[in-house]
Amino acid sequence: AQSVTQLDSQVPVFEEAPVELRCNYSSSVSVYLFWYVQYPNQGLQLLLKYLSGSTLVKGINGFEAEFNKSQTSFHLRKPSVHISDTAEYFCAVSDKNSGGSNYKLTFGKGTLLTVNP
Amino acid sequence: GAGVSQTPSNKVTEKGKYVELRCDPISGHTALYWYRQSLGQGPEFLIYFQGTGAADDSGLPNDRFFAVRPEGSVSTLKIQRTERGDSAVYLCASNHGLAGDTQYFGPGTRLTVL
C-alpha cells in the first residue's frame, strides 16, 4: 500500500516570492512520482514527474521538484511565483513494478497555493 | 488533438436514483482510469481498464458502483441507488498504460445527490 502526505493544506505567498510545496510518501515498493496542478474550474494537468535518473526534475511554468529517496520526499519549488500560479497542487505516486500494468495514482490531499499581489 | 472529455459536466439527482457518467478518452489510449474526488480531498482510484476489460476494480466502494468499456474506448460509470455520500467529482483519465506514462485527465463530472 502507498500513501502520500502533503503537509500544508494551504500556502499563501506574495507575488514574486519563492515557494515550496511539501510532499512525503510512504511505499513498500519503488514508485514513480508526479505533481499535478488543478486551476479553478479546470481539470488536473501534469506539472512534472520523476521516473528515474537525475533527482532534480524540471516541469512546466518554471516549477521544479527534487526526489529524495532517503527522506521519501518530492517537494515542489518555484523561485518566483505569479498571480496565475494560484491553484491546487497535488502530489501523486504510482507503483513502479505493477504486475498487471495498472499504474494507478495515489494522491495526496492537495495544497492550495494562493498568490497575493 | 482532443483531450479526455466527460459528460455531463454536472449532474444533480435525488437519493435512490440511478446515474450514468460518461468518459471519452484520448483516441488510441488503451488504459482508462476512474477516480473520485470528494471535497477537500485528492482524487481516489476507483477502477482501471486495459482495453475492454476491467483489470482492477478494487477501488469501487461497493456493489452499487459498476463501470463498462464495451468497445475499448468510451467508458460509462454507473451508480445505482445513489446516496448523499456519493456526491463528489468523478474524474476520468487515459494513457497508453505504460510504466510512468502520464495520465491525462478530463474535466470531471460533478455529481450532487440531494
Side-chain angles (χ1 to χ4, degrees), chain B residues 31-69:
Chain B
L32 186 147
Y33 303 80
W34 283 99
Y35 294 86
R36 178 168 72 173
Q37 186 175 13
S38 301
L39 195 63
Q41 304 293 318
E44 292 179 317
F45 169 77
L46 294 177
I47 186 169
Y48 159 67
F49 287 90
Q50 180 58 254
T52 60
D56 181 357
D57 64 358
S58 62
L60 294 178
N62 51 60
D63 61 6
R64 295 186 297 105
F65 289 75
F66 189 71
V68 296
R69 195 186 184 198

PDB file of all heavy atoms in Angstrom, chain B residues 31-69:
ATOM      1  N   ALA B  31      -5.476   2.435 -21.942  1.00  0.00           N
ATOM      2  CA  ALA B  31      -5.720   2.414 -20.497  1.00  0.00           C
ATOM      3  C   ALA B  31      -6.658   3.548 -20.111  1.00  0.00           C
ATOM      4  O   ALA B  31      -6.515   4.676 -20.594  1.00  0.00           O
ATOM      5  CB  ALA B  31      -4.413   2.535 -19.733  1.00  0.00           C
ATOM      6  N   LEU B  32      -7.615   3.224 -19.249  1.00  0.00           N
ATOM      7  CA  LEU B  32      -8.590   4.215 -18.789  1.00  0.00           C
ATOM      8  C   LEU B  32      -8.796   4.031 -17.298  1.00  0.00           C
ATOM      9  O   LEU B  32      -8.955   2.900 -16.805  1.00  0.00           O
ATOM     10  CB  LEU B  32      -9.906   4.059 -19.548  1.00  0.00           C
ATOM     11  CG  LEU B  32     -10.986   5.117 -19.296  1.00  0.00           C
ATOM     12  CD1 LEU B  32     -11.810   5.347 -20.564  1.00  0.00           C
ATOM     13  CD2 LEU B  32     -11.885   4.752 -18.135  1.00  0.00           C
ATOM     14  N   TYR B  33      -8.783   5.127 -16.567  1.00  0.00           N
ATOM     15  CA  TYR B  33      -8.920   5.110 -15.112  1.00  0.00           C
ATOM     16  C   TYR B  33     -10.093   6.001 -14.693  1.00  0.00           C
ATOM     17  O   TYR B  33     -10.308   7.064 -15.277  1.00  0.00           O
ATOM     18  CB  TYR B  33      -7.668   5.684 -14.438  1.00  0.00           C
ATOM     19  CG  TYR B  33      -6.373   4.988 -14.784  1.00  0.00           C
ATOM     20  CD1 TYR B  33      -5.714   5.258 -15.978  1.00  0.00           C
ATOM     21  CD2 TYR B  33      -5.785   4.090 -13.901  1.00  0.00           C
ATOM     22  CE1 TYR B  33      -4.510   4.636 -16.295  1.00  0.00           C
ATOM     23  CE2 TYR B  33      -4.586   3.462 -14.203  1.00  0.00           C
ATOM     24  CZ  TYR B  33      -3.952   3.744 -15.400  1.00  0.00           C
ATOM     25  OH  TYR B  33      -2.759   3.127 -15.705  1.00  0.00           O
ATOM     26  N   TRP B  34     -10.807   5.579 -13.665  1.00  0.00           N
ATOM     27  CA  TRP B  34     -11.807   6.420 -12.999  1.00  0.00           C
ATOM     28  C   TRP B  34     -11.314   6.725 -11.582  1.00  0.00           C
ATOM     29  O   TRP B  34     -10.816   5.823 -10.879  1.00  0.00           O
ATOM     30  CB  TRP B  34     -13.160   5.721 -12.909  1.00  0.00           C
ATOM     31  CG  TRP B  34     -13.952   5.696 -14.175  1.00  0.00           C
ATOM     32  CD1 TRP B  34     -14.054   4.677 -15.078  1.00  0.00           C
ATOM     33  CD2 TRP B  34     -14.828   6.735 -14.658  1.00  0.00           C
ATOM     34  NE1 TRP B  34     -14.902   5.021 -16.098  1.00  0.00           N
ATOM     35  CE2 TRP B  34     -15.397   6.270 -15.866  1.00  0.00           C
ATOM     36  CE3 TRP B  34     -15.182   8.000 -14.188  1.00  0.00           C
ATOM     37  CZ2 TRP B  34     -16.304   7.028 -16.612  1.00  0.00           C
ATOM     38  CZ3 TRP B  34     -16.072   8.743 -14.933  1.00  0.00           C
ATOM     39  CH2 TRP B  34     -16.634   8.273 -16.128  1.00  0.00           C
ATOM     40  N   TYR B  35     -11.484   7.983 -11.182  1.00  0.00           N
ATOM     41  CA  TYR B  35     -11.161   8.422  -9.836  1.00  0.00           C
ATOM     42  C   TYR B  35     -12.358   9.199  -9.285  1.00  0.00           C
ATOM     43  O   TYR B  35     -13.173   9.728 -10.049  1.00  0.00           O
ATOM     44  CB  TYR B  35      -9.942   9.365  -9.827  1.00  0.00           C
ATOM     45  CG  TYR B  35      -8.637   8.735 -10.245  1.00  0.00           C
ATOM     46  CD1 TYR B  35      -8.284   8.660 -11.588  1.00  0.00           C
ATOM     47  CD2 TYR B  35      -7.743   8.228  -9.303  1.00  0.00           C
ATOM     48  CE1 TYR B  35      -7.078   8.093 -11.987  1.00  0.00           C
ATOM     49  CE2 TYR B  35      -6.535   7.656  -9.688  1.00  0.00           C
ATOM     50  CZ  TYR B  35      -6.212   7.596 -11.030  1.00  0.00           C
ATOM     51  OH  TYR B  35      -5.017   7.034 -11.423  1.00  0.00           O
ATOM     52  N   ARG B  36     -12.403   9.311  -7.965  1.00  0.00           N
ATOM     53  CA  ARG B  36     -13.435  10.119  -7.324  1.00  0.00           C
ATOM     54  C   ARG B  36     -12.744  11.123  -6.410  1.00  0.00           C
ATOM     55  O   ARG B  36     -11.856  10.747  -5.626  1.00  0.00           O
ATOM     56  CB  ARG B  36     -14.395   9.235  -6.517  1.00  0.00           C
ATOM     57  CG  ARG B  36     -15.472  10.008  -5.786  1.00  0.00           C
ATOM     58  CD  ARG B  36     -16.547   9.106  -5.256  1.00  0.00           C
ATOM     59  NE  ARG B  36     -16.131   8.299  -4.117  1.00  0.00           N
ATOM     60  CZ  ARG B  36     -16.956   7.532  -3.412  1.00  0.00           C
ATOM     61  NH1 ARG B  36     -18.230   7.476  -3.744  1.00  0.00           N
ATOM     62  NH2 ARG B  36     -16.512   6.826  -2.397  1.00  0.00           N
ATOM     63  N   GLN B  37     -13.174  12.380  -6.512  1.00  0.00           N
ATOM     64  CA  GLN B  37     -12.576  13.434  -5.700  1.00  0.00           C
ATOM     65  C   GLN B  37     -13.663  14.068  -4.843  1.00  0.00           C
ATOM     66  O   GLN B  37     -14.524  14.791  -5.345  1.00  0.00           O
ATOM     67  CB  GLN B  37     -11.904  14.496  -6.579  1.00  0.00           C
ATOM     68  CG  GLN B  37     -11.141  15.538  -5.791  1.00  0.00           C
ATOM     69  CD  GLN B  37     -10.378  16.510  -6.681  1.00  0.00           C
ATOM     70  OE1 GLN B  37     -10.587  16.575  -7.895  1.00  0.00           O
ATOM     71  NE2 GLN B  37      -9.460  17.254  -6.086  1.00  0.00           N
ATOM     72  N   SER B  38     -13.592  13.785  -3.551  1.00  0.00           N
ATOM     73  CA  SER B  38     -14.529  14.401  -2.611  1.00  0.00           C
ATOM     74  C   SER B  38     -13.988  15.752  -2.188  1.00  0.00           C
ATOM     75  O   SER B  38     -12.802  16.044  -2.346  1.00  0.00           O
ATOM     76  CB  SER B  38     -14.721  13.498  -1.391  1.00  0.00           C
ATOM     77  OG  SER B  38     -15.221  12.234  -1.798  1.00  0.00           O
ATOM     78  N   LEU B  39     -14.863  16.568  -1.633  1.00  0.00           N
ATOM     79  CA  LEU B  39     -14.495  17.932  -1.268  1.00  0.00           C
ATOM     80  C   LEU B  39     -13.325  17.939  -0.291  1.00  0.00           C
ATOM     81  O   LEU B  39     -13.346  17.252   0.730  1.00  0.00           O
ATOM     82  CB  LEU B  39     -15.712  18.634  -0.652  1.00  0.00           C
ATOM     83  CG  LEU B  39     -15.625  20.150  -0.544  1.00  0.00           C
ATOM     84  CD1 LEU B  39     -15.521  20.766  -1.934  1.00  0.00           C
ATOM     85  CD2 LEU B  39     -16.846  20.698   0.180  1.00  0.00           C
ATOM     86  N   GLY B  40     -12.286  18.688  -0.635  1.00  0.00           N
ATOM     87  CA  GLY B  40     -11.140  18.811   0.252  1.00  0.00           C
ATOM     88  C   GLY B  40     -10.182  17.640   0.230  1.00  0.00           C
ATOM     89  O   GLY B  40      -9.269  17.563   1.056  1.00  0.00           O
ATOM     90  N   GLN B  41     -10.386  16.727  -0.699  1.00  0.00           N
ATOM     91  CA  GLN B  41      -9.540  15.528  -0.786  1.00  0.00           C
ATOM     92  C   GLN B  41      -8.879  15.435  -2.156  1.00  0.00           C
ATOM     93  O   GLN B  41      -9.302  16.084  -3.110  1.00  0.00           O
ATOM     94  CB  GLN B  41     -10.390  14.269  -0.561  1.00  0.00           C
ATOM     95  CG  GLN B  41     -11.155  14.252   0.736  1.00  0.00           C
ATOM     96  CD  GLN B  41     -10.250  14.168   1.936  1.00  0.00           C
ATOM     97  OE1 GLN B  41      -9.267  13.406   1.947  1.00  0.00           O
ATOM     98  NE2 GLN B  41     -10.537  14.956   2.973  1.00  0.00           N
ATOM     99  N   GLY B  42      -7.846  14.610  -2.229  1.00  0.00           N
ATOM    100  CA  GLY B  42      -7.279  14.305  -3.524  1.00  0.00           C
ATOM    101  C   GLY B  42      -8.092  13.224  -4.211  1.00  0.00           C
ATOM    102  O   GLY B  42      -8.895  12.540  -3.573  1.00  0.00           O
ATOM    103  N   PRO B  43      -7.894  13.069  -5.507  1.00  0.00           N
ATOM    104  CA  PRO B  43      -8.616  12.005  -6.225  1.00  0.00           C
ATOM    105  C   PRO B  43      -8.277  10.630  -5.659  1.00  0.00           C
ATOM    106  O   PRO B  43      -7.129  10.372  -5.285  1.00  0.00           O
ATOM    107  CB  PRO B  43      -8.106  12.146  -7.660  1.00  0.00           C
ATOM    108  CG  PRO B  43      -7.626  13.561  -7.766  1.00  0.00           C
ATOM    109  CD  PRO B  43      -7.082  13.888  -6.412  1.00  0.00           C
ATOM    110  N   GLU B  44      -9.278   9.751  -5.617  1.00  0.00           N
ATOM    111  CA  GLU B  44      -9.091   8.380  -5.148  1.00  0.00           C
ATOM    112  C   GLU B  44      -9.460   7.416  -6.269  1.00  0.00           C
ATOM    113  O   GLU B  44     -10.506   7.557  -6.902  1.00  0.00           O
ATOM    114  CB  GLU B  44      -9.956   8.114  -3.922  1.00  0.00           C
ATOM    115  CG  GLU B  44      -9.525   8.899  -2.690  1.00  0.00           C
ATOM    116  CD  GLU B  44     -10.420   8.626  -1.499  1.00  0.00           C
ATOM    117  OE1 GLU B  44     -11.643   8.589  -1.676  1.00  0.00           O
ATOM    118  OE2 GLU B  44      -9.884   8.437  -0.389  1.00  0.00           O
ATOM    119  N   PHE B  45      -8.612   6.425  -6.466  1.00  0.00           N
ATOM    120  CA  PHE B  45      -8.782   5.449  -7.537  1.00  0.00           C
ATOM    121  C   PHE B  45     -10.047   4.621  -7.359  1.00  0.00           C
ATOM    122  O   PHE B  45     -10.374   4.182  -6.240  1.00  0.00           O
ATOM    123  CB  PHE B  45      -7.563   4.519  -7.557  1.00  0.00           C
ATOM    124  CG  PHE B  45      -7.710   3.309  -8.433  1.00  0.00           C
ATOM    125  CD1 PHE B  45      -7.590   3.412  -9.806  1.00  0.00           C
ATOM    126  CD2 PHE B  45      -7.985   2.060  -7.884  1.00  0.00           C
ATOM    127  CE1 PHE B  45      -7.719   2.299 -10.615  1.00  0.00           C
ATOM    128  CE2 PHE B  45      -8.110   0.942  -8.682  1.00  0.00           C
ATOM    129  CZ  PHE B  45      -7.986   1.064 -10.051  1.00  0.00           C
ATOM    130  N   LEU B  46     -10.767   4.430  -8.454  1.00  0.00           N
ATOM    131  CA  LEU B  46     -11.949   3.577  -8.441  1.00  0.00           C
ATOM    132  C   LEU B  46     -11.723   2.299  -9.249  1.00  0.00           C
ATOM    133  O   LEU B  46     -11.874   1.186  -8.741  1.00  0.00           O
ATOM    134  CB  LEU B  46     -13.154   4.325  -9.020  1.00  0.00           C
ATOM    135  CG  LEU B  46     -13.669   5.526  -8.231  1.00  0.00           C
ATOM    136  CD1 LEU B  46     -14.815   6.196  -8.985  1.00  0.00           C
ATOM    137  CD2 LEU B  46     -14.129   5.100  -6.835  1.00  0.00           C
ATOM    138  N   ILE B  47     -11.387   2.465 -10.544  1.00  0.00           N
ATOM    139  CA  ILE B  47     -11.326   1.303 -11.430  1.00  0.00           C
ATOM    140  C   ILE B  47     -10.403   1.600 -12.602  1.00  0.00           C
ATOM    141  O   ILE B  47     -10.255   2.751 -13.002  1.00  0.00           O
ATOM    142  CB  ILE B  47     -12.745   0.919 -11.924  1.00  0.00           C
ATOM    143  CG1 ILE B  47     -12.729  -0.385 -12.730  1.00  0.00           C
ATOM    144  CG2 ILE B  47     -13.370   2.046 -12.736  1.00  0.00           C
ATOM    145  CD1 ILE B  47     -14.133  -0.943 -13.005  1.00  0.00           C
ATOM    146  N   TYR B  48      -9.770   0.523 -13.113  1.00  0.00           N
ATOM    147  CA  TYR B  48      -8.833   0.638 -14.225  1.00  0.00           C
ATOM    148  C   TYR B  48      -9.219  -0.343 -15.318  1.00  0.00           C
ATOM    149  O   TYR B  48      -9.492  -1.515 -15.048  1.00  0.00           O
ATOM    150  CB  TYR B  48      -7.423   0.338 -13.720  1.00  0.00           C
ATOM    151  CG  TYR B  48      -6.413  -0.064 -14.769  1.00  0.00           C
ATOM    152  CD1 TYR B  48      -5.988   0.840 -15.734  1.00  0.00           C
ATOM    153  CD2 TYR B  48      -5.869  -1.348 -14.772  1.00  0.00           C
ATOM    154  CE1 TYR B  48      -5.054   0.466 -16.681  1.00  0.00           C
ATOM    155  CE2 TYR B  48      -4.926  -1.729 -15.715  1.00  0.00           C
ATOM    156  CZ  TYR B  48      -4.522  -0.816 -16.665  1.00  0.00           C
ATOM    157  OH  TYR B  48      -3.585  -1.182 -17.602  1.00  0.00           O
ATOM    158  N   PHE B  49      -9.254   0.162 -16.560  1.00  0.00           N
ATOM    159  CA  PHE B  49      -9.494  -0.673 -17.729  1.00  0.00           C
ATOM    160  C   PHE B  49      -8.249  -0.726 -18.596  1.00  0.00           C
ATOM    161  O   PHE B  49      -7.604   0.292 -18.845  1.00  0.00           O
ATOM    162  CB  PHE B  49     -10.622  -0.080 -18.593  1.00  0.00           C
ATOM    163  CG  PHE B  49     -11.989  -0.221 -18.014  1.00  0.00           C
ATOM    164  CD1 PHE B  49     -12.514   0.751 -17.179  1.00  0.00           C
ATOM    165  CD2 PHE B  49     -12.777  -1.322 -18.315  1.00  0.00           C
ATOM    166  CE1 PHE B  49     -13.778   0.631 -16.642  1.00  0.00           C
ATOM    167  CE2 PHE B  49     -14.055  -1.451 -17.800  1.00  0.00           C
ATOM    168  CZ  PHE B  49     -14.549  -0.472 -16.960  1.00  0.00           C
ATOM    169  N   GLN B  50      -7.922  -1.920 -19.073  1.00  0.00           N
ATOM    170  CA  GLN B  50      -6.932  -2.084 -20.123  1.00  0.00           C
ATOM    171  C   GLN B  50      -7.707  -2.697 -21.287  1.00  0.00           C
ATOM    172  O   GLN B  50      -8.086  -3.865 -21.242  1.00  0.00           O
ATOM    173  CB  GLN B  50      -5.788  -2.989 -19.684  1.00  0.00           C
ATOM    174  CG  GLN B  50      -4.724  -3.184 -20.751  1.00  0.00           C
ATOM    175  CD  GLN B  50      -4.108  -1.881 -21.213  1.00  0.00           C
ATOM    176  OE1 GLN B  50      -4.366  -1.384 -22.306  1.00  0.00           O
ATOM    177  NE2 GLN B  50      -3.279  -1.291 -20.357  1.00  0.00           N
ATOM    178  N   GLY B  51      -7.948  -1.889 -22.327  1.00  0.00           N
ATOM    179  CA  GLY B  51      -8.815  -2.349 -23.402  1.00  0.00           C
ATOM    180  C   GLY B  51     -10.253  -2.391 -22.916  1.00  0.00           C
ATOM    181  O   GLY B  51     -10.745  -1.450 -22.306  1.00  0.00           O
ATOM    182  N   THR B  52     -10.907  -3.503 -23.162  1.00  0.00           N
ATOM    183  CA  THR B  52     -12.318  -3.622 -22.794  1.00  0.00           C
ATOM    184  C   THR B  52     -12.520  -4.151 -21.385  1.00  0.00           C
ATOM    185  O   THR B  52     -13.606  -3.991 -20.817  1.00  0.00           O
ATOM    186  CB  THR B  52     -13.047  -4.567 -23.762  1.00  0.00           C
ATOM    187  OG1 THR B  52     -12.426  -5.851 -23.693  1.00  0.00           O
ATOM    188  CG2 THR B  52     -12.981  -4.052 -25.194  1.00  0.00           C
ATOM    189  N   GLY B  53     -11.506  -4.762 -20.809  1.00  0.00           N
ATOM    190  CA  GLY B  53     -11.682  -5.426 -19.523  1.00  0.00           C
ATOM    191  C   GLY B  53     -11.318  -4.564 -18.339  1.00  0.00           C
ATOM    192  O   GLY B  53     -10.367  -3.782 -18.388  1.00  0.00           O
ATOM    193  N   ALA B  54     -12.075  -4.736 -17.257  1.00  0.00           N
ATOM    194  CA  ALA B  54     -11.753  -4.053 -16.009  1.00  0.00           C
ATOM    195  C   ALA B  54     -10.651  -4.844 -15.320  1.00  0.00           C
ATOM    196  O   ALA B  54     -10.910  -5.868 -14.687  1.00  0.00           O
ATOM    197  CB  ALA B  54     -12.986  -3.960 -15.119  1.00  0.00           C
ATOM    198  N   ALA B  55      -9.421  -4.364 -15.440  1.00  0.00           N
ATOM    199  CA  ALA B  55      -8.271  -5.094 -14.904  1.00  0.00           C
ATOM    200  C   ALA B  55      -8.147  -4.954 -13.395  1.00  0.00           C
ATOM    201  O   ALA B  55      -7.533  -5.803 -12.740  1.00  0.00           O
ATOM    202  CB  ALA B  55      -6.994  -4.614 -15.587  1.00  0.00           C
ATOM    203  N   ASP B  56      -8.694  -3.876 -12.840  1.00  0.00           N
ATOM    204  CA  ASP B  56      -8.613  -3.663 -11.392  1.00  0.00           C
ATOM    205  C   ASP B  56      -9.785  -2.809 -10.973  1.00  0.00           C
ATOM    206  O   ASP B  56      -9.847  -1.635 -11.343  1.00  0.00           O
ATOM    207  CB  ASP B  56      -7.288  -2.977 -11.037  1.00  0.00           C
ATOM    208  CG  ASP B  56      -7.121  -2.745  -9.538  1.00  0.00           C
ATOM    209  OD1 ASP B  56      -8.050  -3.063  -8.760  1.00  0.00           O
ATOM    210  OD2 ASP B  56      -6.057  -2.242  -9.135  1.00  0.00           O
ATOM    211  N   ASP B  57     -10.717  -3.397 -10.228  1.00  0.00           N
ATOM    212  CA  ASP B  57     -11.874  -2.633  -9.735  1.00  0.00           C
ATOM    213  C   ASP B  57     -11.838  -2.535  -8.216  1.00  0.00           C
ATOM    214  O   ASP B  57     -12.882  -2.347  -7.580  1.00  0.00           O
ATOM    215  CB  ASP B  57     -13.184  -3.230 -10.223  1.00  0.00           C
ATOM    216  CG  ASP B  57     -13.415  -4.642  -9.680  1.00  0.00           C
ATOM    217  OD1 ASP B  57     -12.534  -5.156  -8.963  1.00  0.00           O
ATOM    218  OD2 ASP B  57     -14.472  -5.224  -9.988  1.00  0.00           O
ATOM    219  N   SER B  58     -10.649  -2.661  -7.654  1.00  0.00           N
ATOM    220  CA  SER B  58     -10.510  -2.714  -6.196  1.00  0.00           C
ATOM    221  C   SER B  58     -10.905  -1.428  -5.498  1.00  0.00           C
ATOM    222  O   SER B  58     -11.143  -1.422  -4.288  1.00  0.00           O
ATOM    223  CB  SER B  58      -9.062  -3.067  -5.829  1.00  0.00           C
ATOM    224  OG  SER B  58      -8.174  -2.066  -6.291  1.00  0.00           O
ATOM    225  N   GLY B  59     -10.990  -0.320  -6.225  1.00  0.00           N
ATOM    226  CA  GLY B  59     -11.341   0.952  -5.615  1.00  0.00           C
ATOM    227  C   GLY B  59     -12.821   1.258  -5.576  1.00  0.00           C
ATOM    228  O   GLY B  59     -13.242   2.224  -4.934  1.00  0.00           O
ATOM    229  N   LEU B  60     -13.620   0.449  -6.236  1.00  0.00           N
ATOM    230  CA  LEU B  60     -15.067   0.681  -6.200  1.00  0.00           C
ATOM    231  C   LEU B  60     -15.558   0.494  -4.775  1.00  0.00           C
ATOM    232  O   LEU B  60     -15.290  -0.535  -4.160  1.00  0.00           O
ATOM    233  CB  LEU B  60     -15.791  -0.269  -7.143  1.00  0.00           C
ATOM    234  CG  LEU B  60     -15.511  -0.093  -8.632  1.00  0.00           C
ATOM    235  CD1 LEU B  60     -16.253  -1.137  -9.452  1.00  0.00           C
ATOM    236  CD2 LEU B  60     -15.861   1.315  -9.100  1.00  0.00           C
ATOM    237  N   PRO B  61     -16.281   1.463  -4.233  1.00  0.00           N
ATOM    238  CA  PRO B  61     -16.637   1.410  -2.804  1.00  0.00           C
ATOM    239  C   PRO B  61     -17.608   0.301  -2.426  1.00  0.00           C
ATOM    240  O   PRO B  61     -17.554  -0.211  -1.309  1.00  0.00           O
ATOM    241  CB  PRO B  61     -17.231   2.795  -2.533  1.00  0.00           C
ATOM    242  CG  PRO B  61     -17.594   3.345  -3.854  1.00  0.00           C
ATOM    243  CD  PRO B  61     -16.706   2.732  -4.856  1.00  0.00           C
ATOM    244  N   ASN B  62     -18.498  -0.061  -3.320  1.00  0.00           N
ATOM    245  CA  ASN B  62     -19.468  -1.135  -3.035  1.00  0.00           C
ATOM    246  C   ASN B  62     -20.120  -1.578  -4.339  1.00  0.00           C
ATOM    247  O   ASN B  62     -19.777  -1.062  -5.418  1.00  0.00           O
ATOM    248  CB  ASN B  62     -20.528  -0.632  -2.036  1.00  0.00           C
ATOM    249  CG  ASN B  62     -21.140   0.681  -2.468  1.00  0.00           C
ATOM    250  OD1 ASN B  62     -21.736   0.772  -3.537  1.00  0.00           O
ATOM    251  ND2 ASN B  62     -20.965   1.708  -1.660  1.00  0.00           N
ATOM    252  N   ASP B  63     -21.037  -2.505  -4.238  1.00  0.00           N
ATOM    253  CA  ASP B  63     -21.610  -3.084  -5.463  1.00  0.00           C
ATOM    254  C   ASP B  63     -22.661  -2.189  -6.120  1.00  0.00           C
ATOM    255  O   ASP B  63     -23.270  -2.594  -7.118  1.00  0.00           O
ATOM    256  CB  ASP B  63     -22.170  -4.481  -5.197  1.00  0.00           C
ATOM    257  CG  ASP B  63     -23.286  -4.474  -4.164  1.00  0.00           C
ATOM    258  OD1 ASP B  63     -23.697  -3.381  -3.738  1.00  0.00           O
ATOM    259  OD2 ASP B  63     -23.736  -5.568  -3.776  1.00  0.00           O
ATOM    260  N   ARG B  64     -22.878  -1.006  -5.594  1.00  0.00           N
ATOM    261  CA  ARG B  64     -23.764  -0.071  -6.303  1.00  0.00           C
ATOM    262  C   ARG B  64     -23.032   0.581  -7.471  1.00  0.00           C
ATOM    263  O   ARG B  64     -23.658   1.182  -8.338  1.00  0.00           O
ATOM    264  CB  ARG B  64     -24.264   1.011  -5.347  1.00  0.00           C
ATOM    265  CG  ARG B  64     -25.151   0.502  -4.225  1.00  0.00           C
ATOM    266  CD  ARG B  64     -25.736   1.661  -3.410  1.00  0.00           C
ATOM    267  NE  ARG B  64     -24.706   2.445  -2.727  1.00  0.00           N
ATOM    268  CZ  ARG B  64     -24.302   3.641  -3.113  1.00  0.00           C
ATOM    269  NH1 ARG B  64     -24.836   4.218  -4.184  1.00  0.00           N
ATOM    270  NH2 ARG B  64     -23.373   4.275  -2.427  1.00  0.00           N
ATOM    271  N   PHE B  65     -21.715   0.479  -7.464  1.00  0.00           N
ATOM    272  CA  PHE B  65     -20.882   1.098  -8.497  1.00  0.00           C
ATOM    273  C   PHE B  65     -20.447   0.047  -9.505  1.00  0.00           C
ATOM    274  O   PHE B  65     -20.004  -1.045  -9.136  1.00  0.00           O
ATOM    275  CB  PHE B  65     -19.644   1.738  -7.874  1.00  0.00           C
ATOM    276  CG  PHE B  65     -19.899   2.971  -7.088  1.00  0.00           C
ATOM    277  CD1 PHE B  65     -20.469   2.907  -5.832  1.00  0.00           C
ATOM    278  CD2 PHE B  65     -19.575   4.221  -7.604  1.00  0.00           C
ATOM    279  CE1 PHE B  65     -20.717   4.060  -5.097  1.00  0.00           C
ATOM    280  CE2 PHE B  65     -19.806   5.375  -6.880  1.00  0.00           C
ATOM    281  CZ  PHE B  65     -20.384   5.292  -5.622  1.00  0.00           C
ATOM    282  N   PHE B  66     -20.551   0.411 -10.786  1.00  0.00           N
ATOM    283  CA  PHE B  66     -20.164  -0.506 -11.850  1.00  0.00           C
ATOM    284  C   PHE B  66     -19.686   0.321 -13.028  1.00  0.00           C
ATOM    285  O   PHE B  66     -20.162   1.435 -13.234  1.00  0.00           O
ATOM    286  CB  PHE B  66     -21.360  -1.372 -12.259  1.00  0.00           C
ATOM    287  CG  PHE B  66     -21.007  -2.487 -13.198  1.00  0.00           C
ATOM    288  CD1 PHE B  66     -20.277  -3.568 -12.758  1.00  0.00           C
ATOM    289  CD2 PHE B  66     -21.405  -2.443 -14.532  1.00  0.00           C
ATOM    290  CE1 PHE B  66     -19.955  -4.608 -13.622  1.00  0.00           C
ATOM    291  CE2 PHE B  66     -21.082  -3.473 -15.400  1.00  0.00           C
ATOM    292  CZ  PHE B  66     -20.355  -4.549 -14.944  1.00  0.00           C
ATOM    293  N   ALA B  67     -18.739  -0.177 -13.791  1.00  0.00           N
ATOM    294  CA  ALA B  67     -18.257   0.551 -14.965  1.00  0.00           C
ATOM    295  C   ALA B  67     -18.044  -0.418 -16.116  1.00  0.00           C
ATOM    296  O   ALA B  67     -17.708  -1.584 -15.906  1.00  0.00           O
ATOM    297  CB  ALA B  67     -16.971   1.302 -14.663  1.00  0.00           C
ATOM    298  N   VAL B  68     -18.242   0.095 -17.322  1.00  0.00           N
ATOM    299  CA  VAL B  68     -18.054  -0.718 -18.526  1.00  0.00           C
ATOM    300  C   VAL B  68     -17.263   0.064 -19.550  1.00  0.00           C
ATOM    301  O   VAL B  68     -17.225   1.298 -19.539  1.00  0.00           O
ATOM    302  CB  VAL B  68     -19.413  -1.152 -19.130  1.00  0.00           C
ATOM    303  CG1 VAL B  68     -20.157  -2.066 -18.160  1.00  0.00           C
ATOM    304  CG2 VAL B  68     -20.262   0.053 -19.485  1.00  0.00           C
ATOM    305  N   ARG B  69     -16.683  -0.691 -20.467  1.00  0.00           N
ATOM    306  CA  ARG B  69     -15.938  -0.100 -21.587  1.00  0.00           C
ATOM    307  C   ARG B  69     -16.044  -1.101 -22.751  1.00  0.00           C
ATOM    308  O   ARG B  69     -15.068  -1.711 -23.133  1.00  0.00           O
ATOM    309  CB  ARG B  69     -14.485   0.145 -21.185  1.00  0.00           C
ATOM    310  CG  ARG B  69     -13.746   1.068 -22.139  1.00  0.00           C
ATOM    311  CD  ARG B  69     -12.281   1.172 -21.778  1.00  0.00           C
ATOM    312  NE  ARG B  69     -11.593   2.131 -22.629  1.00  0.00           N
ATOM    313  CZ  ARG B  69     -10.277   2.173 -22.769  1.00  0.00           C
ATOM    314  NH1 ARG B  69      -9.496   1.318 -22.112  1.00  0.00           N
ATOM    315  NH2 ARG B  69      -9.728   3.080 -23.542  1.00  0.00           N
TER     316      ARG B  69
END
